[in-house]
């Protein structure tokens, strides 16, 4: 049967998805309910995998026969905030200018989802299924995907490949970095700021620890380990927030900072975190407790998502390269859900429309030519599975 879905259909679907304010702090259920209803109108059942509080949900749906060897099209439904960004149009309304569609999530990554959903009416005669996997809270640490993947492994015939549609300009991405996010809380000992010998400053201690992390980061810049294809080609360590102190004339009792590790597959965050904790135990805390016995440093792992490691024999890469008509792959420094699928034993790859350069920006956009390229890619997937 010839394809009937047009670029106008995709745009209409994208307008619906962008209109849902699914910033990660909000529920995504209104969007999920819309998608569930859309699929039901086309005879496709959906399974919701909810968060613990029930305020968010992943969606899993199978189009076509329930047999092994299908392909998963995976994408997250949440977007990053818009506050403080100088948008020139309503971020939750798609606006076209100069061949671009502007709006929060147009690029990252609702266009990929809009293409897949708009194409559902064309998915007739599939011999192997297309599984649609929509997740929540990817932008705040890939929190929803693990339970989505667990449910997929328990209830679906095993798929042959997973395509995660993050914006790659339709390049086939065979590897991405992992991410680990930590919060370190330094507890000092208060005293009057004129009596520094009687206090332990949590702010000063935190500053020294931040400098220690910066030293670890610089060591990797100079000495690696290195992984060709990534930019930059080494694990990065970055401190993003610092909060501490009560007043300028009080030696600070508490200071906290949050930091992340963006790791290449060869240099995971586990060793960095353990080494940091050991430095605190053996070097920093003994010095603090000479003056303040109750002083200390505690570091909590908030988020962890594994890297996607390149695999020479990966059917997902072979499929994506064939559909995208390319014979080379690239590697990217951002984290995504593909590493979680790979860790679960599912061949995975990233390929989607739009550029990561526009993601998270004010006036986020996707070029119409990228939407057309993504539409062609998924049409060819339907043909391959039919």
């Amino acid at each position: 049967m010839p394809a009937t879905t047009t670029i106008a259909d995709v745009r209409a679907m994208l307008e619906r998805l962008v209109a849902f304010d699914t910033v990660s702090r909000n529920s995504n259920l209104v969007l999920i309910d819309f998608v569930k209803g859309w699929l039901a109108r086309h005879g496709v059942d959906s399974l919701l995998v909810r968060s613990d509080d029930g305020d968010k949900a992943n969606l899993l749906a199978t189009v076509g026969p329930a047999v092994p060897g299908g392909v998963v099209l995976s994408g997250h439904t949440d977007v990053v905030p818009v506050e403080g960004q100088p948008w020139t149009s309503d971020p939750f309304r798609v606006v076209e200018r100069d061949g671009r569609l502007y709006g929060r999530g147009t690029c990252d990554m609702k266009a990929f989802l809009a293409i897949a959903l708009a194409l559902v009416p064309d998915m007739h005669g599939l011999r192997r299924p297309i599984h649609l996997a929509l997740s929540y809270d990817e932008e705040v640490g890939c929190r929803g995907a693990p339970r989505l993947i667990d449910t997929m492994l328990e209830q679906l015939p095993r798929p042959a490949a997973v395509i995660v549609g993050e914006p790659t300009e339709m390049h086939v991405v065979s590897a991405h970095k992992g991410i680990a996010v930590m919060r370190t809380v330094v507890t000092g000992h208060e005293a009057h700021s004129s009596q520094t010998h009687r206090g332990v400053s949590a702010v000063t201690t935190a500053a020294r620890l931040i400098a220690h992390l910066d030293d670890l980061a610089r060591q990797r810049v100079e000495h690696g380990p290195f992984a060709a294809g990534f930019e930059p080609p080494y694990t990065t360590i970055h401190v993003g927030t610092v909060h501490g102190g009560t007043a300028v004339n009080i030696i600070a009792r508490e200071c906290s900072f949050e930091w992340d590790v963006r790791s290449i597959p060869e240099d995971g965050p586990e060793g960095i975190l353990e080494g940091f904790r050991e430095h605190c135990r053996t070097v920093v805390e003994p010095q603090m407790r000479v003056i303040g016995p109750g002083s200390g440093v505690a570091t909590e792992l908030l988020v962890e998502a594994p890297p996607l490691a390149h695999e020479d024999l990966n059917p997902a890469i072979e499929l994506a390269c064939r559909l995208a008509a390319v014979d080379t792959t690239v590697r990217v420094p951002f984290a995504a859900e593909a590493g979680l699928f790979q860790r679960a034993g599912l061949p995975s790859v990233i390929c989607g429309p739009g550029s990561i350069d526009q993601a998270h920006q004010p006036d986020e956009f996707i070029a119409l030519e990228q939407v057309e390229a993504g539409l062609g890619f998924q049409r060819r997937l339907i043909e391959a599975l039919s």
Side-chain angles (χ1 to χ4, degrees), residues 30-222:
V30 178
L31 182 151
I32 291 295
D33 288 343
F34 164 76
V35 172
K36 182 179 180 180
W38 166 262
L39 294 173
R41 287 196 295 276
H42 295 282
V44 179
D45 293 330
S46 301
L47 173 64
L48 302 190
V49 185
R50 296 182 181 273
S51 59
D52 289 337
D53 61 8
D55 197 42
K56 299 181 181 182
N58 303 300
L59 181 145
L60 186 59
T62 297
V63 186
V67 298
V71 175
V72 177
L73 297 178
S74 174
H76 61 83
T77 60
D78 61 320
V79 297
V80 296
V82 300
E83 287 81 9
Q85 293 187 333
W87 283 77
T88 58
S89 58
D90 182 349
F92 298 105
R93 183 173 65 88
V94 174
V95 175
E96 181 179 352
R97 296 194 299 271
D98 301 322
R100 298 170 173 177
L101 300 178
Y102 289 84
R104 175 57 88 221
T106 50
C107 167
D108 185 18
M109 56 180 295
K110 289 181 175 179
F112 176 81
L113 297 177
I115 293 168
L117 292 170
L119 280 169
V120 167
D122 289 355
M123 296 179 186
H124 306 289
L126 290 175
R127 300 174 66 91
R128 287 175 289 159
I130 291 176
H131 307 287
L132 303 178
L134 281 61
S135 66
Y136 66 84
D137 280 1
E138 188 271 352
E139 295 288 7
V140 290
C142 300
R143 294 174 178 170
R147 61 182 59 195
L148 174 66
I149 294 169
D150 288 344
T151 302
M152 182 183 302
L153 294 175
E154 292 170 0
Q155 302 196 24
L156 295 187
R158 193 169 188 83
V162 178
I163 300 174
V164 178
E166 292 282 358
T168 67
E169 297 180 283
M170 300 309 298
H171 298 301
V172 176
V173 172
S174 64
H176 69 66
K177 288 187 176 182
I179 183 172
V181 178
M182 280 68 63
R183 178 186 295 121
T184 295
V185 178
V186 181
T187 302
H189 183 73
E190 289 175 317
H192 193 283
S193 65
S194 67
Q195 298 177 318
T196 55
H197 61 295
R198 292 187 174 180
V200 178
S201 171
V203 168
T204 301
T205 303
R208 290 173 179 161
L209 290 173
I210 292 170
H212 175 71
L213 289 172
D214 189 56
D215 289 341
L216 295 178
R218 291 177 185 273
Q219 290 172 16
R220 281 163 170 78
V221 173
E222 296 175 4

Side-chain angles (χ1 to χ4, degrees), residues 209-381:
L209 290 173
I210 292 170
H212 175 71
L213 289 172
D214 189 56
D215 289 341
L216 295 178
R218 291 177 185 273
Q219 290 172 16
R220 281 163 170 78
V221 173
E222 296 175 4
H223 305 294
F226 301 105
F230 286 106
E231 180 61 36
Y234 45 80
T235 293
T236 60
I237 305 171
H238 160 259
V239 177
T241 68
V242 183
H243 304 280
T246 303
V248 70
N249 58 354
I250 300 174
I251 295 174
R253 183 180 185 277
E254 184 172 296
C255 185
S256 64
F257 58 91
E258 292 181 342
W259 50 290
D260 70 16
V261 176
R262 304 277 182 156
S263 56
I264 59 175
E266 298 84 353
D267 185 26
E270 300 84 3
I272 295 171
L273 178 56
E274 182 52 38
F276 178 76
R277 285 172 168 161
E278 181 67 13
H279 174 74
C280 292
R281 282 194 301 267
T282 61
V283 177
V284 177
E285 289 182 330
Q287 296 173 357
M288 299 172 71
R289 288 168 180 167
V290 170
I291 298 174
S295 301
V297 181
T299 298
E300 176 186 8
L301 176 63
L302 301 178
V303 167
E304 183 182 13
L308 174 68
H310 176 84
E311 297 173 324
D312 289 332
L313 300 177
N314 183 335
I317 294 176
E318 296 173 7
L319 173 64
C321 285
R322 186 167 70 253
L323 298 177
V326 299
D327 56 10
T328 59
T329 63
V330 299
R331 307 181 185 198
V332 294
F334 58 81
E337 294 171 337
L340 290 165
F341 284 102
Q342 184 183 66
R343 187 169 67 182
L346 298 173
S348 303
V349 71
I350 304 176
C351 186
S355 170
I356 197 67
D357 293 342
Q358 275 75 60
H360 300 192
Q361 301 294 314
D363 284 348
E364 176 184 346
F365 71 85
I366 187 167
L368 277 168
E369 62 184 15
Q370 281 290 300
V371 180
E372 291 171 350
L375 179 58
F377 179 97
Q378 293 195 33
R379 278 178 176 160
R380 289 188 288 276
L381 173 63

